Amino acid sequence: MYDIIIIGAGPAGLAAAVYCARKMLKTLVVSKDVGGQAAWSSDVENYLGYEFITGVELVQKFREHVENFDIHLEEGVTISRVGTGKNRFFVRGDDGREFEGHALLIASGKEPRRLGVPGEGEFLRKGVTYCATCDAPLFGKKDVAVIGGGNSAIDAAIQLANIARQVYVLVLKGALDCDAVMEQEASKFPSVHFIMNAQTAAIKGDVFVNSLAYKDTSTGEEHDLPVEGVFIEVGQIPATGFLGDFVKKNVWDEVVIDANNHTSVEGVFAAGDVTSVSEKQIIVAAGEGAKAALIAYTWLLTNQKIQPKAVSRY
């Protein structure tokens, strides 16, 4: 039995874990990976204390910090269900294992939005990917497509520009929806080509991807683009599928919380990008995780789930 179970090991979950450990709570962090969306970021220039650091490097710093504390980390576990029992909560992994705790902190972040086109699932990890930071080096001197027109898509194109041979950015609208500075940066690369009004219809191949079919929505014409890699960057959705109706969610499937990270269920807290907090930033998620941990600690004390052990609130 744990004092608290934290679901997710991104900035929110890891920050919460550190604060829980400092309160000497018996803490479990369970997650399919460590770092969450932060690990997908190529360049991070707005995290306090670092003028520039890559997402991978920042996540490594997070991991090293967490490893200084007595925190039980169950990595590589996908949560299938959460629920309540008598004076406890349980978290069940897809491997059948079950963990119990007096309190829960949901920090599962977001996951890539799927296109929902033929071939997307069939060629996953066979040319289809959702993470340029992770997989760009696999496509050296190859022609690739990036689907999307927002910041994440243009960031992916920039990362691929010096690796792939040609980078085709397929944008559903007639204009990009990214920061102007990112558009200017991507436009510097002769290998980056923008295809506007392009609606992806299918991803094709045999064993691996070899082409992408799209429709020009302005003319109705259909095209087949020879590529060996497809980077899907059409946004993220909250990773809340495992929750069902366990806690209240809004129309965007985000966990609804109040100013003190309380969910609709007593003893269940939430923090980071999975929640209804408006700004989705690494530093915001980390701060929310720390705050949620402190609130959860107070709740555990108030409800006599634990005895006071730590001496400092901060």
Side-chain angles (χ1 to χ4, degrees), residues 149-162:
N151 282 340
S152 62
I154 306 310
D155 180 63
I158 292 170
Q159 292 184 60
L160 286 159
N162 288 318

Side-chain angles (χ1 to χ4, degrees), residues 43-53 58 280-284:
D43 301 340
V44 179
E45 298 177 342
N46 56 0
Y47 194 86
L48 192 63
Y50 297 99
E51 292 185 20
F52 172 85
I53 190 169
L58 185 59
K280 315 300 186 184
Q281 297 288 315
I282 297 174
I283 197 165
V284 174

Side-chain angles (χ1 to χ4, degrees), residues 109-124:
K110 288 190 171 185
E111 58 191 7
R113 186 187 301 277
R114 269 53 175 177
L115 278 177
V117 299
E120 181 178 13
E122 179 184 353
F123 294 108
L124 180 62

Side-chain angles (χ1 to χ4, degrees), residues 156-286:
I158 292 170
Q159 292 184 60
L160 286 159
N162 288 318
I163 298 173
R165 182 168 54 193
Q166 301 293 333
V167 181
Y168 300 96
V169 183
L170 278 68
V171 184
L172 182 60
K173 301 177 183 179
L176 294 176
D177 191 26
C178 64
D179 294 342
V181 66
M182 296 195 71
E183 180 177 359
Q184 292 169 7
E185 181 65 22
S187 298
K188 295 178 182 177
F189 296 97
S191 60
V192 175
H193 312 277
F194 297 103
I195 303 176
M196 301 299 177
N197 302 304
Q199 183 177 41
T200 303
I203 299 169
K204 302 177 181 180
D206 36 51
V207 178
F208 298 96
V209 169
N210 59 30
S211 69
L212 181 149
Y214 72 93
K215 177 182 178 180
D216 186 328
T217 59
S218 64
T219 65
E221 295 180 358
E222 296 181 355
H223 302 271
D224 204 60
L225 184 66
V227 292
E228 294 181 77
V230 178
F231 291 76
I232 299 174
E233 297 284 355
V234 292
Q236 291 83 38
I237 57 175
T240 54
F242 65 92
L243 290 172
D245 59 359
F246 180 65
V247 294
K248 182 180 179 181
K249 294 178 283 186
N250 61 21
V251 294
W252 298 284
D253 266 345
E254 297 169 330
V255 176
V256 175
I257 60 171
D258 63 15
N260 291 318
N261 300 87
H262 292 279
T263 71
S264 58
V265 176
E266 183 75 11
V268 179
F269 308 86
D273 285 12
V274 75
T275 73
S276 52
V277 169
S278 60
E279 301 302 330
K280 315 300 186 184
Q281 297 288 315
I282 297 174
I283 197 165
V284 174

